[in-house]
Amino acid sequence: MTAALSGAPSTEGSVPEVVDHVAVARLYGEPLFSLPQDLYIPPDALEVFLEAFEGPLDLLLYLIRRQNFNILDIPLADVTRQYLSYVDQLRKTNLELASEYLLMAAMLIEIKSRMLLPPKKTDDGAEPEDPRAELVRRLLEYERIKLAAARLDALPVLGRDFLRAQVHIEQSLQPRFPDVDVVDLRQAWAELLKRAKLNQHHKISREELSVREHMSIVLRKLQGQRFVEFEHLFDPSRGPQVLVVTFIAMLELSRERLLEVTQAEAFAPIYVRLAYTPA
């Protein structure tokens, strides 16, 4: 197709000089009749996007389920052929990623070669296991995990599927307290009394004790007695304070030589007597 050129100069807002060509594109609303010479197209812009798979097992399961193959009786020849076709396309774009798929392809070929050979019985005479058995177990386990992950992903997620509602409600009604059973009330009262008995307060009173007074008491007990046993001069029922003061009174009388403390032999009873004869 030839172009008809207009001899008149073009004015602003008029049609372009080339009027019988088809515009290849539009740039900001204006027709573009030829590609710019400095246009750069990155190589990735023309990339053909294939089905996205998460790994070799995912691709293998996809090929089996898409064609309704029985997973317990996989036709390895057809599946391996389709699998290698996908790997060839993948190698052209991403060689590093294709290495993972090549390992599975080698496993498929190895299983197919074992199926072509006559089966060898085991040492105990049993039939050998199907070469595809291990692959089938891995595929079934992977499929269960994939379906479980899909069910978990379908559950509502906070922030993705719904937002938490925050509503402030004023409680204008009178609060209703729960009913109390009579048995519970009696048990609570018994526990309160039990704690009260364990936490009784002890009142301590101060008693004025005189050493001189107890010195006189000791002298009166010794009057008219030849010997008085040491223990008989004390009254344990009056408490340890009185015992201490009485013992100090005896020591003071002994220091003033008003009484004597004697003992016949070691470990024998201790006796106390007056050191003077009363008038």
Side-chain angles (χ1 to χ4, degrees):
M1 181 182 298
T2 58
L5 300 178
S6 173
S10 62
T11 60
E12 184 178 359
S14 62
V15 297
E17 295 181 355
V18 181
V19 296
D20 57 350
H21 277 185
V22 179
V24 296
R26 283 186 175 274
L27 182 62
Y28 300 110
E30 296 294 330
L32 190 66
F33 295 97
S34 61
L35 294 178
Q37 299 297 325
D38 57 347
L39 179 64
Y40 172 73
I41 302 176
D44 295 341
L46 301 179
E47 181 180 357
V48 177
F49 294 95
L50 304 174
E51 292 275 355
F53 299 103
E54 298 180 359
L57 282 177
D58 196 23
L59 171 60
L60 194 58
L61 186 63
Y62 168 78
L63 295 175
I64 294 172
R65 293 307 186 192
R66 186 184 65 176
Q67 301 175 83
N68 294 324
F69 290 148
N70 185 3
I71 197 169
L72 300 178
D73 188 17
I74 304 173
L76 280 180
D78 296 339
V79 173
T80 305
R81 189 182 306 107
Q82 298 173 24
Y83 186 91
L84 290 176
S85 175
Y86 177 84
V87 172
D88 288 339
Q89 297 179 19
L90 190 62
R91 290 175 59 186
K92 298 176 183 178
T93 57
N94 194 336
L95 185 60
E96 182 178 355
L97 182 61
S99 60
E100 302 179 11
Y101 292 83
L102 286 173
L103 181 61
M104 177 59 72
M107 183 184 299
L108 293 175
I109 296 173
E110 190 264 341
I111 294 175
K112 181 61 179 177
S113 63
R114 287 169 56 191
M115 293 179 62
L116 295 175
L117 296 175
K120 294 182 180 180
K121 293 187 178 182
T122 59
D123 296 337
D124 54 358
E127 291 294 331
E129 188 181 30
D130 192 330
R132 299 169 294 182
E134 178 61 27
L135 179 61
V136 169
R137 282 194 291 266
R138 292 177 57 185
L139 285 172
L140 291 175
E141 182 179 1
Y142 176 78
E143 187 176 31
R144 284 196 298 268
I145 295 174
K146 186 176 181 180
L147 292 176
R151 286 195 294 268
L152 289 176
D153 188 65
L155 296 176
V157 178
L158 176 63
R160 185 192 69 182
D161 302 313
F162 66 93
L163 298 176
R164 183 183 290 111
Q166 297 181 357
V167 180
H168 178 70
I169 302 176
E170 285 191 23
Q171 298 291 338
S172 58
L173 301 177
Q174 287 290 339
R176 183 181 181 277
F177 299 101
D179 298 332
V180 180
D181 191 75
V182 178
V183 177
D184 296 336
L185 187 61
R186 185 172 62 246
Q187 184 176 359
W189 173 247
E191 290 291 335
L192 185 62
L193 290 179
K194 184 178 179 181
R195 290 204 305 268
K197 292 179 180 179
L198 294 176
N199 296 314
Q200 291 181 351
H201 296 281
H202 300 278
K203 186 176 180 180
I204 300 175
S205 59
R206 183 177 179 181
E207 183 180 1
E208 297 289 342
L209 298 175
S210 172
V211 176
R212 288 293 174 183
E213 180 183 356
H214 282 76
M215 290 171 63
S216 301
I217 294 173
V218 171
L219 290 176
R220 283 198 299 267
K221 288 182 177 181
L222 293 176
Q223 286 181 2
Q225 303 290 336
R226 185 177 179 184
F227 290 98
V228 176
E229 196 170 346
F230 178 78
E231 289 83 358
H232 293 167
L233 295 175
F234 298 90
D235 186 5
S237 63
R238 297 188 61 184
Q241 296 87 353
V242 177
L243 296 179
V244 172
V245 175
T246 304
F247 183 67
I248 295 175
M250 289 182 56
L251 295 178
E252 187 68 21
L253 290 172
S254 179
R255 186 178 67 85
E256 295 180 1
R257 300 183 184 278
L258 295 177
L259 58 82
E260 294 179 355
V261 181
T262 62
Q263 187 179 27
E265 57 184 359
F267 305 107
I270 299 174
Y271 293 96
V272 180
R273 70 173 180 176
L274 293 176
Y276 67 97
T277 303

